[in-house]
Amino acid sequence: MQVQLTNRQQHILWATVRHYIATAEPVGSKALVDEYDLGVSSATIRNVMGVLEKSGLLYQPHTSAGRIPSDSGYRIYVDQLIIPSLGYTTRTELVAKEVEQALQNRLHWEDWSLEAILQGAAQILATVSGCISLITMPQTTTAIVRHLQLVQIEAHKIMLIMVTDAYETHSKLINLSPAEEETKLDPEKIDHELQIVSNFLNSHLRGRSLSELPSLQWTELDQEFQRYGEFLQSSVTDLTRSHMTPTTTQIMIRGVAEVLRQPEFSQLQQVQTIIHLLEEEQEQLWPLIFAEPETQEIGKSKVTVRIGTENPLEPMRTCTLISSTYRRGMLPVGSVGVLGPTRLDYESAIAVVAAAADYLSDAFS
C-alpha cells in the first residue's frame, strides 16, 4: 500500500500504533502528548489524527472514543515505519539474541527426535512472542533422481517425466513458447532432439538429490538446445516442489491458551473458529505459512506479514500471521510463524520469527 505521509504524520501514526499495542484502548491526543515527545500541541495531534482517519489508517470504534489503527494503518507501520530499520534497533537485536540463545541452550539435537526438537522450538517461540507459534516438519529432500525423459505428446506439447530412486514417478506437461508455435516443427526431428536432451539431462542430473536441482547452473545447456533451457529449469524445479508437497500436514502449535486471553478474543465463537482451524483444518493453513516470503530481508531470512483482512481464511481476519521459511541449502523445507491479534508487538514478533528461521536453516544445512 503506497501512502505518502509527512514526517509528522508518520511520527503520530507510529505513536498511535505503539500506544494502542501497549494498552488495547482507543488512543486520544492527550495520551500521545503525555507519553510521547512529539513536540506539538494536542490540537495539532487531533488534526493529524483526523487526516490519518480520512486516509483509512485510523478509525474510531465509537463516536466519543479515541482512534485505533486499521489494517491499512498497521500495514504502513510495518512496511514504512519499522521494517526499514528493524535490523538495527537495540530492542529487536536483544529479542533475536534471546531467541537464538534459548534455542541453542534448550534444544538437544543429539538426544531428541526431530519432532521433539521442533515442539521445543515452538514452545520457545510462543513464550518469547506471546503469540501462537507454528512450525512445520521439514519436507523430504533426500530423494535421488534416477531417470529423466522428455516425450513429445502432440504438436507443441512435451511431457517431462522424472523417476526417483524410490521408483516414484512425477510428470509435467510443457507447452512450447509462442515463438516455437509459429514454427512448423518436424515431429521426428523433435523426437530425436528430445532424446538427445534427455540423455544430456540424465548425464548431468542422475544421482543428484532433489534439493540440489533448483540451485543448479543451467547455462551449461548447449547452444543447440538453448530454447529448451528455460522451461526445463522451471519444470524440473516445479517437479521438485510438487514432490516435496506433503500429503499430510504436521504443524507444531504452541501458545494457544495464552494468546486467547487477549481482549480481541473475548467472543467465544471467534475463539472456537480459530481453534477449529488450528486443530481440524491445518491443510488450509499450510499454504499460508509455507508460502515463499515476499517482504524485506530480516537477518538472513525473509519474513511475510499478513495483517487482518489480508489473510484469506475467515477465522484469521482479526489476526496477524508472521511467517518465514527455513532451508536446507537454497531449498525451503519447512516454515516457522506466529499468529496473534493484529494488535501485537510487530518489531519483536518479526525479529523472533526471523531469528528462529535463521537458526533452523543453519541447523538443517
Side-chain angles (χ1 to χ4, degrees):
M1 180 181 181
Q2 295 297 321
V3 176
Q4 296 299 320
L5 301 179
T6 65
N7 289 338
R8 177 176 291 174
Q9 290 169 343
Q10 288 183 347
H11 203 178
I12 290 175
L13 176 61
W14 175 86
T16 303
V17 174
R18 289 296 299 270
H19 190 78
Y20 182 67
I21 288 172
T23 65
E25 296 290 339
V27 183
S29 58
K30 186 176 184 305
L32 298 186
V33 169
D34 292 342
E35 298 196 24
Y36 297 90
D37 184 18
L38 299 177
V40 294
S41 66
S42 180
T44 299
I45 293 175
R46 279 196 301 274
N47 290 336
V48 172
M49 293 179 83
V51 172
L52 295 174
E53 183 176 4
K54 289 179 181 178
S55 299
L57 306 182
L58 302 177
Y59 70 94
Q60 283 184 296
H62 309 288
T63 305
S64 60
R67 294 174 174 88
I68 64 178
S70 65
D71 290 349
S72 299
Y74 283 124
R75 173 51 62 194
I76 296 295
Y77 175 77
V78 168
D79 288 350
Q80 299 183 22
L81 306 184
I82 64 169
I83 279 187
S85 60
L86 188 59
Y88 303 98
T89 65
T90 302
R91 185 166 74 93
T92 53
E93 286 180 357
L94 290 174
V95 170
K97 288 179 180 178
E98 178 187 356
V99 172
E100 182 180 2
Q101 198 67 46
L103 292 169
Q104 288 177 350
N105 293 342
R106 293 165 55 185
L107 301 183
H108 303 287
W109 290 84
E110 299 83 3
D111 305 322
W112 293 1
S113 68
L114 181 57
E115 181 175 348
I117 288 171
L118 295 183
Q119 291 280 17
Q123 185 59 60
I124 291 170
L125 261 63
T127 300
V128 175
S129 68
C131 298
I132 299 170
S133 64
L134 309 141
I135 299 182
T136 67
M137 288 286 285
Q139 301 310 299
T140 302
T141 59
T142 55
I144 303 298
V145 175
R146 183 179 180 88
H147 185 73
L148 286 161
Q149 187 71 41
L150 289 162
V151 179
Q152 184 176 196
I153 302 300
E154 57 184 73
H156 311 299
K157 290 185 184 294
I158 295 171
M159 180 76 75
L160 172 61
I161 302 169
M162 179 175 68
V163 182
T164 70
D165 57 340
Y167 293 97
E168 294 178 329
T169 302
H170 306 270
S171 61
K172 179 175 177 60
L173 185 64
I174 304 165
N175 293 306
L176 293 182
S177 65
E180 299 291 347
E181 292 179 5
E182 296 170 1
T183 306
K184 292 184 178 180
L185 301 176
D186 181 353
E188 291 187 6
K189 182 180 179 181
I190 289 298
D191 282 339
H192 180 65
E193 284 189 353
L194 291 179
Q195 185 58 56
I196 294 174
V197 177
S198 297
N199 294 339
F200 176 85
L201 287 175
N202 280 293
S203 68
H204 283 75
L205 304 184
R206 184 185 289 120
R208 292 183 180 269
S209 69
L210 295 188
S211 61
E212 295 178 76
L213 300 189
S215 58
L216 288 179
Q217 294 296 319
W218 291 84
T219 53
E220 295 180 16
L221 279 176
D222 222 39
Q223 190 64 37
E224 183 181 353
F225 307 122
Q226 194 63 49
R227 66 184 181 186
Y228 295 109
E230 183 177 345
F231 71 70
L232 284 176
Q233 179 178 3
S234 63
S235 299
V236 171
T237 299
D238 287 346
L239 281 178
T240 300
R241 291 186 180 278
S242 65
H243 176 85
M244 293 171 56
T245 301
T247 54
T248 57
T249 303
Q250 188 171 8
I251 305 178
M252 311 301 167
I253 299 174
R254 289 290 184 273
V256 175
E258 289 77 6
V259 79
L260 293 182
R261 296 192 185 103
Q262 297 291 337
E264 288 86 349
F265 301 108
S266 58
Q267 296 182 1
L268 180 60
Q269 183 178 0
Q270 184 183 14
V271 172
Q272 290 174 334
T273 58
I274 292 176
I275 291 177
H276 180 76
L277 173 66
L278 295 174
E279 292 184 350
E280 306 296 335
E281 299 180 354
Q282 290 189 5
E283 70 281 355
Q284 294 190 54
L285 192 58
W286 176 272
L288 299 181
I289 189 174
F290 197 64
E292 188 69 12
E294 301 172 350
T295 58
Q296 292 95 327
E297 192 165 323
I298 309 297
K300 292 182 289 185
S301 296
K302 292 185 177 180
V303 177
T304 294
V305 182
R306 290 187 177 86
I307 302 171
T309 52
E310 296 172 359
N311 289 294
L313 301 180
E314 186 63 35
M316 297 171 59
R317 294 289 175 85
T318 58
C319 301
T320 287
L321 175 65
I322 301 174
S323 62
S324 184
T325 55
Y326 62 88
R327 299 169 179 267
R328 181 180 282 124
M330 297 296 293
L331 191 69
V333 294
S335 56
V336 53
V338 295
L339 179 68
T342 54
R343 183 192 60 84
L344 59 76
D345 186 345
Y346 284 90
E347 293 100 320
S348 293
I350 292 170
V352 163
V353 169
D358 287 347
Y359 172 83
L360 293 175
S361 293
D362 291 341
F364 279 96
S365 294

